[in-house]
Amino acid sequence: MKLQKSTLALLIGAIALTFGVVVYETQVSSGPQAEDAEGERLFTRNQAFEETDVQRLTLTRGDETLVFEQNLDNPDIEISWRMVEPEATLAEPAAIAYLLNILTTDPSLQTLTATPEQLTQYGLDDPDATLELLLADETTHTVKVGGTDFSGDNRYVQVDDGETVYVVAGGITNGVERPVEEWIAVTEAEDEDAAADEPTDDGAAVDDGEPATTEVEPIGAEEEAGQEAGEE
């Protein structure tokens, strides 16, 4: 029995549609998978910890490494963090608190599942920055900050070399890319010195608080000196 042209066309269309669905499903299953869960934190469940649990923070970006430690040896110091590398000095607590807050508190925008071979497209095979955290219980964690997503702002992040890739708001970029001088604490004395060195409106330096002294000759001193000279 011969099929009518319309029936044959429908049959061919159905076969083509089925083939297209199969190809699509195959491609989707082989690529990174977006999970339903959104707003998941980087460290969840049994991994969760507080900012105060972090005892040592190491930031590596390219050839540069910055190392920070809590001031456990001297808890009376107002600034709780010190820089160990690239120089030994007090660290800016606000800079460290900002970064640790993102890692421990801020939820991610999206989570993806990717195989090790698929990390290249996220910039995580050669990350822009790597964070190593040492906790009080000697647990360690590694956080890799990769490339940006399609927005050019949000970053791809991987924790402990896991299969999950997190899309994190662009604030983490400020947290890991700030220049070295912004990681160093500015003491009160340095603030006062900087204020003293600032020029005034007339170009003079700011008064340091000491009254200026000028020697004034007593009235009539020149006249008396002339008389004495004449008598001689």
Side-chain angles (χ1 to χ4, degrees):
M1 181 179 64
K2 294 183 180 180
L3 296 175
Q4 295 182 357
K5 290 183 179 180
S6 59
T7 304
L8 182 59
L10 290 174
L11 181 60
I12 294 174
I15 294 174
L17 179 61
T18 303
F19 178 76
V21 171
V22 171
V23 171
Y24 173 78
E25 293 292 340
T26 302
Q27 291 177 343
V28 170
S29 62
S30 62
Q33 297 297 301
E35 299 181 354
D36 294 334
E38 294 185 3
E40 185 176 341
R41 295 181 181 179
L42 300 183
F43 297 95
T44 58
R45 303 180 183 90
N46 59 335
Q47 285 185 322
F49 57 88
E50 301 294 331
E51 291 181 33
T52 53
D53 294 330
V54 181
Q55 304 298 300
R56 184 181 177 94
L57 170 65
T58 302
L59 169 60
T60 303
R61 49 190 188 188
D63 297 330
E64 186 178 45
T65 299
L66 288 74
V67 182
F68 306 92
E69 293 180 346
Q70 283 219 48
N71 275 319
L72 300 178
D73 298 335
N74 193 348
D76 296 331
I77 296 180
E78 183 178 354
I79 297 178
S80 59
W81 284 89
R82 65 171 181 261
M83 175 186 284
V84 180
E85 293 182 26
E87 58 182 285
T89 184
L90 292 177
E92 174 53 54
I96 294 179
Y98 177 82
L99 180 56
L100 292 181
N101 182 70
I102 293 175
L103 299 179
T104 60
T105 305
D106 288 3
S108 61
L109 303 177
Q110 186 181 14
T111 57
L112 308 167
T113 299
T115 64
E117 294 76 17
Q118 295 165 343
L119 296 178
T120 302
Q121 58 188 292
Y122 299 119
L124 291 168
D125 59 323
D126 184 19
D128 293 338
T130 300
L131 296 162
E132 297 176 8
L133 310 175
L134 174 64
L135 307 186
D137 62 0
E138 299 188 353
T139 300
T140 59
H141 292 290
T142 301
V143 179
K144 297 178 181 179
V145 181
T148 59
D149 67 354
F150 63 90
S151 71
D153 183 28
N154 306 321
R155 304 293 289 266
Y156 294 113
V157 173
Q158 183 186 33
V159 176
D160 294 336
D161 294 324
E163 293 182 352
T164 300
V165 174
Y166 300 88
V167 181
V168 178
I172 195 171
T173 300
N174 297 329
V176 298
E177 293 186 358
R178 69 175 70 243
V180 174
E181 57 269 21
E182 292 186 11
W183 291 99
I184 299 175
V186 178
T187 63
E188 184 176 344
E190 291 173 333
D191 278 339
E192 293 176 354
D193 291 342
D197 291 338
E198 289 180 2
T200 58
D201 293 339
D202 59 1
V206 176
D207 188 2
D208 60 1
E210 294 293 333
T213 57
T214 304
E215 293 185 1
V216 180
E217 249 184 62
I219 298 175
E222 293 182 359
E223 186 178 340
E224 291 178 2
Q227 291 177 355
E228 290 177 358
E231 292 175 358
E232 292 177 357

